Amino acid sequence: MKKILYTLALAVTLWSCKTGSSSVSQKNVVEVNINLVDVKDDKVLVTVTPPPIKTDEIIYSIPKTVPGTYSTDNYGKFSEDFKAYDAKGNALKVERLGDNSWSISNAKTLNKITYLVNDTFDTEKGTGFGNDDVFSPAGTNIKAGENFLVNTHGFVGYFQDKLEVPYKVTITHPETLWGATSMTDEDASKTSDVFTTSRYAVLVENPIMYSKPDYTTFNVNGMDILIAVYSPTGKFTAESITPEMKTMMTAQKNFLGKVNANKKYTVLLYLSSMAKDDAHGFGALEHPTATTVVLPESMPKERLVESMKDVVSHEFFHIVTPLTVHSKEIQYFDYNAPLMSEHLWMYEGVTEYFANLFQINQGLINEAEFYTRIAEKIEQSKKLDDTMSFTVMSKNVLEQPYKDQYLNVYQKGALIGMCVDIIIREKSNGGRGILDLMHKLSLEYGVEKPFNDNELFAKITQLTYPEVGDFLNKYVAGTTPIPYDFYLAKVGVTKSIEKKAGAVFIKGQTPYIKVDKQTKEISVRPEIELNDFFKNLNLKAGDIIVSVNDKAYSLDNIYELIGQSENWKENDPITLKIKRDGKEQTIKGTVKLPFEETETFKATDASKEKLRNAWLKG
């Protein structure tokens, strides 16, 4: 999973269907019908026909948590009017057990259950950070006749002790909508899709997005790629972003080489209108052969493409871990009483490291850009608890205070991957790195063979060097902060200070402007020291920005403003129309960028060039 905290911080501060057989099913399969045609009150009817039940009572559950989210989301609370019937249509006694489970009595006679599903997008209050919102890419959308984001765990549950039973899912949908997924539709009908999976876990890992057909397909080194887009106003199309996606995914396949043998991969891109009842949690969620991405439609294309590169590359590399290399906690995932693994440093951290390393490795960014990314991760990691054991945090990530440290998996987690990579490079004289380690782990374990959490460090040490084991025990399991300078010096890289132009409207995660959700007006924030851009134009706290260079801006197109500002140059002429104390006035002047000294790294030791090139270029 990759969560992104965009400049949305500005806005924050700022239901007939096929019911299966008429008698109790004798097939050892769970049959599900999802009706996307007769939607009533923004709710979808789900009908489930169970396999033979041999107990007097059975529990049906919808997940509390799903793999890759590391959060408690209680998807069952979005289901209502849960009913159970025997073959004659008589209602059976049902008792709701908390948010996510229902107990059904006289279960040996159970013929079908029905319930209504509400979507999660309607309930989101913020960005998916610091609140109880379901992270949008792991959520669901129900927009009758237009779009259905079917993250299957939000619609379909499982019977107790029957997680390994095959599933047959029939989805009826409007003829105008097409379902994009990595699964194979076994029904030739234009209004009905049939998908079968070997077990519940496989179904959960296959999201489907129904919308007006807008997709592209291409092949990268033997892997078929599908890019599907839902853009509410039609601003973006799959075709418009495919060239950049093809370049990136080709580079990823080249980087992974023999480590990946996927034959199919689907990218589902949902673009949010940012309306009150739409998605507000931006980022992506990984699956073995797919990723769901949610981003705001208002983003400029350049920024959208860059964000897609960031999140899709991260999710794609999850193919390596945890989708291939993982512990028993993940292999035998308990959707309603989940046990977390100790190794988020690998599942998310190494994945994030690969998402950056492959870009320098494949020539998509230069050395300076790579070092800047490393420096930024070090800076961000130090804002979190740098002395908290990463394995302890990972094991307890659903609870406080560890929950608040989760975002460090993208910062310190990636840096842990970097240090392990450097150690292996140094000890092997540049011949091997962490990608080689992950390949060996995938051969040692794999999709159907998990490892024991407490044995991973010893196995990694066995496959690499004692120094790697020492590092993991001291800095990952332990509480000692990592001396990054020490490890970067091994490849001839040292600290450097550079003066560079910062963003005009935001510094780090602190915005200089805010948005009134009622009026949608953008204004200058009070109680914050303004940067040189604001000071140069004599902008003051409370000033409402009406337009910039004769283009009106509000919450509806704030990302366009942010995107445009990234292209401004020092001393460019600029005209702002503002409203101060209720009166409009025009300000003309020039752009003064907020230059600031930032810490980065650069290569300084020529004697380490060969090792450094092996690290960066493989």
Side-chain angles (χ1 to χ4, degrees), residues 89 100 170 358 402 462 478 513-514 541-542:
N100 307 297
T170 300
F358 97 96
Y402 309 102
Q462 176 190 334
I513 56 178
K514 65 177 183 177

Side-chain angles (χ1 to χ4, degrees), residues 34 36 42 44 62 75 78-79 117-124 134-143 147-156 207-209 270 277-280 285 292 294:
I34 302 175
L36 303 183
D42 206 31
V44 164
I62 291 176
Y75 292 96
F78 299 98
S79 293
V117 174
N118 298 275
D119 62 310
T120 69
F121 284 8
D122 287 350
T123 68
E124 292 188 17
V134 173
F135 180 47
S136 301
T140 58
N141 187 49
I142 298 172
K143 193 170 184 179
N147 176 272
F148 297 89
L149 182 58
V150 183
N151 268 307
T152 46
H153 56 260
F155 290 81
V156 185
I208 317 162
M209 185 170 74
Y270 179 97
D277 60 351
D278 210 343
H280 290 80
L285 179 66
T292 51
V294 177

Side-chain angles (χ1 to χ4, degrees), residues 128 383 433 474 482 527:
K383 293 179 180 179
K474 183 175 183 178
I482 301 172
E527 300 176 0

Side-chain angles (χ1 to χ4, degrees), residues 274-312:
M274 294 291 292
K276 184 179 180 180
D277 60 351
D278 210 343
H280 290 80
F282 303 133
L285 179 66
E286 85 277 1
H287 300 280
T289 61
T291 184
T292 51
V293 186
V294 177
L295 293 171
E297 188 187 44
S298 58
M299 297 177 77
K301 182 186 176 182
E302 295 78 10
R303 183 152 190 184
L304 176 72
V305 170
E306 286 304 310
S307 297
M308 286 289 287
K309 288 180 181 179
D310 179 29
V311 297
V312 174

